[in-house]
Amino acid sequence: MNKFKVISMIAIISLIWGYLWVTVKFCLEDIPPFFYTSLRLFIGSFVLFLVLLVKGKNLLPQKHEWAPFFSLSLLMCVGYYALSTYGMQFVDSGISSVLVYTMPIFVSILAHFFLNEHLTLNKVIGLIIGAVGLLLIIGPQLLHLSWNLSLVGEIIIIISAFFWACTNLYTKKIGQNHDKLKMTMWQMLLGGVWAMLIALASEHKEISTITLSNTSILALLYSGVLGTAVAFVGWNWVLGKVQASVASIALMSVPLLGLFFGWLQLGEKITSNVIAGAALVCLGILFTSIQIKRKKPIKITAKKPA
């Protein structure tokens, strides 16, 4: 494994996804969430289709690939993309990024049962720290028991993070048997179809009155090309190189970047409870992801008598 390549890819992904939340907010000003999700996925899959075409690779899945690609499209594109985008209507972009990146914590728990990546003491500590961080972020709504749209949006985004964690584990399990580009392209294309069907059923009135601004067009291209096609091919590649739980440590900078860009470009307020919660979530991810190497026990052997 080339560690420099892995670290470089993680840095690129973190920067792309750190700014992605701002672009999603821009798009949601003009485009309803499920329709936006379908457009984003279609753009991403088209980019990967062109790459596969240029490389001369086989575009159609083999018979045994349809089932896993179908499963990935539901888990990733409906469970994560569509749900997180729907929840973001009611939640600031920075807070959304923090809540979504609880995904590594879910990965650590699920990997214990499904990938033989056992829970250790440091991972358990990390899970507790991360849970406290989440409570700090959504605490104001819970304290007042006000089931407003903001709290509903936050819960939906956390659920979407769980689906992303399931996707990562499934990708880790089956990804070595499939071409990463083709696998990602087909899961996006199929997912775009699911999202479009949901949009046509629930957002047909909003779709008929859409007017796109230059800002939303640029934001849509960013989220479709960089945030979806480029970043997720890179992420699937990273998952193939390192443990799912270990790879997640690299994503700690994304929620912090999300908070920063949301404050810088959207004027979102960063309250003390959000700062403290984000710090604890990142610290929890660090604990759940690090590997502590135990020293080998020293063997004591009795000397043979002279």
Side-chain angles (χ1 to χ4, degrees), residues 129-148:
I129 294 173
V132 173
L134 279 180
L135 288 175
L136 279 176
I137 293 171
I138 64 176
Q141 291 94 332
L142 292 177
L143 286 175
H144 296 93
L145 293 176
S146 55
W147 284 90
N148 53 29

Side-chain angles (χ1 to χ4, degrees), residues 2 21-22 32 44 59 61 63 91 124 135 175 182 184 186 188-189 192 199 203 220 246 254 260 265-266 289 294:
N2 189 319
W21 305 96
V22 171
L59 296 172
K63 188 176 180 180
V91 184
V124 173
L135 288 175
K182 186 168 75 170
T184 308
W186 276 100
M188 288 180 182
L189 182 58
E203 299 171 343
L220 180 60
V246 174
V254 176
F260 171 74
Q265 201 159 2
L266 300 177
S289 302
R294 296 181 178 179

Side-chain angles (χ1 to χ4, degrees), residues 8-21 101 222 226-227 231 250-251 253-254 257-258 260-261:
S8 299
M9 180 59 72
I10 286 170
I12 293 170
I13 293 169
S14 298
L15 187 59
I16 291 173
W17 279 345
Y19 187 68
L20 178 64
W21 305 96
Y101 283 89
Y222 180 96
L226 293 178
L251 301 179
S253 63
V254 176
L257 288 169
F260 171 74
F261 287 127

Side-chain angles (χ1 to χ4, degrees), residues 26-45:
F26 281 141
C27 288
L28 289 177
E29 291 178 2
D30 296 332
I31 313 171
F34 294 117
F35 188 61
Y36 158 74
T37 300
S38 67
L39 294 178
R40 172 186 175 182
L41 291 169
F42 284 144
I43 291 172
S45 60

Side-chain angles (χ1 to χ4, degrees), residues 114-115 167-178 239:
F114 299 106
L115 291 183
T167 306
N168 286 336
L169 264 67
Y170 188 60
T171 302
K172 178 71 177 177
K173 191 172 183 178
I174 61 105
Q176 300 293 340
N177 302 321
H178 305 282
L239 283 175

